Amino acid sequence: MGIDVIFRIAAIGILAAVVSSILKQSGKDELGTFVSLAAVVICLLMVLTMVAELFNTVRTLFSLY
């Protein structure tokens, strides 16, 4: 869980930006917005799982149950 997560999030962002730009150029602004929103949700879910792992590690470290 090192720098590869940052690269994944960056790749999702770049891919979403390219697809959104292509869709907006073709006149499908709504679909471009949905693509951007989906990318944000995917990244938030990735970060949420990492935060959950952090809380579990802290709980284990301090022997909290």
Side-chain angles (χ1 to χ4, degrees), residues 4-17 19 33-51:
D4 61 331
V5 176
I6 295 171
F7 286 140
R8 285 184 197 167
I9 292 174
I12 291 170
I14 291 169
L15 183 65
V19 171
T33 304
F34 285 133
V35 167
S36 298
L37 184 63
V40 168
V41 169
I42 290 170
C43 290
L44 284 176
L45 288 175
M46 289 173 61
V47 170
L48 185 65
T49 57
M50 291 188 312
V51 169

Side-chain angles (χ1 to χ4, degrees), residues 3-31:
I3 198 161
D4 61 331
V5 176
I6 295 171
F7 286 140
R8 285 184 197 167
I9 292 174
I12 291 170
I14 291 169
L15 183 65
V18 168
V19 171
S20 177
S21 176
I22 290 171
L23 287 171
K24 286 185 182 184
Q25 289 293 326
S26 66
K28 296 181 168 75
D29 293 332
E30 296 85 13
L31 287 177

